[in-house]
Every structure is written in structure tokens, then in C-alpha cells.
Amino acid sequence: MKLTRRDLMKLGLGATALAAMPRLLAQAAPASSLPLITKAIPSSGERIPVIGIGTRTYNSLTEEIRSVLTEIARSGCTMIDTADNYAGGNSEQVIGQVIAENSTRDDVFFATKINVRGEAAGRQRIDRCFSQLRTDKIDLIYVHNLVDTEVQLGNLREAKAAGRIRYLGVTTSSDNQYGELEQIMRNHDLDFVQLDYAIDNRSAEARLLPLAADRGMAVVTNLPFGRASLFRVVGDRPLPEWASEFNATTWAQFFLKYNVSHPSITAAIPGTTQLRHLLDNVQGARGQLPDAAMRTRMEQFMATL
């Protein structure tokens, strides 16, 4: 039976309870039935799911990795993040093979990176990305770890103007590069920035995240589990009961929902090699996200551990 607002009023639910109904219903719903959370890429308005996968260790095509790449296309959490030098250069090849075999190219968002110096070498590496991923269009290519940034951004702009890539950006995973990254963000029009961020690693909040918002740049976060240190901190502790208020049922979801609830963060890409971890992580992209007050509560809770 469907209850209308008038029916609820007759049952004695006042305005406060009515305002809370969407949240309460979301808490009670099965995780898989909750809506997928998406955010807009500022430079285009295109919306993407807030959780993807990182593929740094995809050395070879195992059945487990095949399962992960097959399920990510089904899940709606579309971003597959890789790089030309991940896993000795094998990661792109592994991903390209599975996506081509499954005919799911249209169901995923390819993000890769180039890590090379020199104009000619950069163009060759870009071409190799297309060959390895078995596609004629790549959604996003970054200059990885700010290597030869000026030259390689020129190469990527050329590829974007030719319609070969849709977005470009730069990456880092170290606060030692934050000063350089800030200058690049101020001097260049970028679609995306990728950087490290976690509930126990919030250095980027001071300058980089506000700057990304001001400059209209999407932010993708790597290392959202704090280089796995967060799981060591919580150990076998149960989740606090109030985590249900934003539909978190595991620590992975707790950490991911904290991460992507920052207003300036567009998506997170936890490294994912196991299907059970993928199925857990993608639930972090469903239901509710913590608001500002809840984020503070989460930070304070983690500080006590």
C-alpha cells in the first residue's frame, strides 16, 4: 500500500518526521535498490558515478580480475582508472582485452595516464594507450605525477582537439608535489585533477580542493583508504550505529562515503582486484552521503581510535 503525505499526517507524523522520511526510507531499503550517486564534471556537466576502480596491480588476466572488469561494467560505477606504466605496462592491455571481449566499451569510462618525457615520446605513448585499450576514443588521459607537464599537456590538448580524447588532466599522489600542482592548476585549464585524499589524509583540503572548485575542475581521489592504513586502525571494530544514517554497512563504505561527500570531490578510485571488494565498494556509491555535520562526526570518531 502506498501512503500519501495526508495519510502520514493522519497517522500523527508531523513536519519533522515527514522531512526525515526520504532518509529513513533509504536506511530501510536494500543497498542494491538505493539510487546510484553521481556528480557532474564541471567542464561539461556530464554526470559520473562517484566510485570507480583503480587497476595499478593488473599484471595479468586472472579470472578474478576478469570478474571485476565484467561486474564494473554492469554495476553502473563506470570509471576504470589505469596508466601506461601500471603493472609493467600490462594493466591497459588486460583491461582492453576484457572490455573488448565483453563488448562493454560503451558501459565504461576509460581514464588512463601517460608518464614520459618529450613531445614525440608523449605522442607515441598516447597512441599506445589507444592500442592497448582497444578503443578509438579515450574518455580521460592525465599527465601522470606531473612528469613533463607542459609538453605532455600540449600533446593531450592536440588529442582532445582531434576528438580522440574527451577530457584531460594531471595527477599526483604525494603532498611533496602539491605546490607544483597548485601552480599548474592556476596556469592551465584542466578538466580533471587526481590526487590523494582520505579521512586520515586531508592535506589537499587547505588549498587544492578549494582551488579545483574555483577553477571548475573535477577531482578524482586516489588512495581513499589511506594506503590501507585505515583498515588497520579500525581493526575488527564494529561500525558505529549512526553509520546507517548514510547507508554505510561496512568500513569500506564508511571511508568511501566520507571521501566523495566532500563538495569538491567528484569520484574516488579505490584499487580493486577482488570481486568481493568491488561489490562492497560500489555500495558506497548508493543511498545517502554524509552532510557537513556528519563528516565532522566521522573525523572526530576516527581521531579517537
Side-chain angles (χ1 to χ4, degrees):
M1 179 179 67
K2 181 178 180 180
L3 294 178
T4 67
R5 182 182 181 93
R6 180 173 295 179
D7 293 330
L8 293 171
M9 291 294 287
K10 288 179 179 178
L11 290 172
L13 294 179
T16 300
L18 288 172
M21 282 302 294
R23 175 174 55 81
L24 295 173
L25 290 172
Q27 291 173 28
S32 60
S33 69
L34 296 174
L36 191 68
I37 305 166
T38 63
K39 289 192 177 183
I41 299 169
S43 66
S44 69
E46 176 185 359
R47 299 189 71 86
I48 58 173
V50 295
I51 303 296
I53 60 170
T55 62
R56 187 180 182 86
T57 59
Y58 281 31
N59 295 291
S60 60
L61 182 50
T62 66
E63 285 307 307
E64 191 74 13
I65 286 176
R66 182 185 294 278
S67 296
V68 169
L69 291 170
T70 299
E71 182 60 30
I72 196 71
R74 294 172 179 162
S75 71
C77 292
T78 54
M79 183 178 287
I80 301 177
D81 182 273
T82 184
D84 66 335
N85 63 334
Y86 279 1
N90 291 335
S91 178
E92 286 183 333
Q93 185 176 10
V94 167
I95 294 163
Q97 179 178 336
V98 175
I99 298 303
E101 289 175 353
N102 291 347
S103 299
T104 51
R105 174 63 188 94
D106 292 341
D107 299 322
V108 296
F109 185 105
F110 275 156
T112 191
K113 314 174 188 75
I114 56 171
N115 183 30
V116 69
R117 295 184 181 277
E119 184 175 337
R123 288 175 176 170
Q124 290 173 0
R125 196 59 65 90
I126 290 170
D127 288 342
R128 183 174 182 269
C129 291
F130 283 92
S131 175
Q132 296 278 77
L133 289 170
R134 304 191 189 187
T135 184
D136 58 3
K137 181 166 286 189
I138 294 175
D139 299 289
L140 165 62
I141 300 183
Y142 299 98
V143 177
H144 196 23
N145 291 331
L146 310 185
V147 174
D148 197 22
T149 302
E150 296 295 327
V151 170
Q152 302 312 326
L153 279 179
N155 282 334
L156 292 180
R157 289 193 187 95
E158 183 180 87
K160 185 177 180 181
R164 302 181 73 199
I165 69 175
R166 300 171 59 220
Y167 301 108
L168 58 81
V170 297
T171 80
T172 187
S173 58
S174 171
D175 58 6
N176 292 331
Q177 292 188 316
Y178 281 5
E180 182 181 359
L181 175 59
E182 181 178 350
Q183 290 307 307
I184 291 168
M185 292 170 67
R186 292 187 184 280
N187 294 336
H188 293 276
D189 292 327
L190 306 173
D191 300 301
F192 278 80
V193 173
Q194 185 183 130
L195 49 78
D196 55 306
Y197 182 80
I199 196 170
D200 65 343
N201 173 26
R202 306 197 298 273
S203 300
E205 285 183 340
R207 300 177 69 88
L208 296 179
L209 295 185
L211 178 59
D214 289 344
R215 298 280 290 144
M217 299 173 184
V219 177
V220 173
T221 56
N222 54 54
L223 304 172
F225 297 137
R227 302 180 193 272
S229 61
L230 289 172
F231 293 112
R232 291 194 294 271
V233 170
V234 297
D236 59 359
R237 292 177 177 84
L239 277 176
E241 291 184 3
W242 42 264
S244 64
E245 295 182 26
F246 51 91
N247 308 111
T249 60
T250 68
W251 282 114
Q253 295 167 29
F254 183 97
F255 299 136
L256 289 173
K257 282 174 175 280
Y258 173 84
N259 197 295
V260 300
S261 63
H262 191 289
S264 298
I265 291 175
T266 311
I269 46 165
T272 311
T273 59
Q274 297 183 36
L275 181 59
R276 65 187 179 92
H277 291 158
L278 173 66
L279 295 174
D280 185 2
N281 293 345
V282 298
Q283 296 309 320
R286 293 191 177 277
Q288 305 292 308
L289 289 178
D291 60 15
M294 181 60 76
R295 283 175 57 84
T296 299
R297 187 176 187 181
M298 296 166 79
E299 294 165 3
Q300 293 172 342
F301 175 82
M302 291 300 299
T304 67
L305 302 183

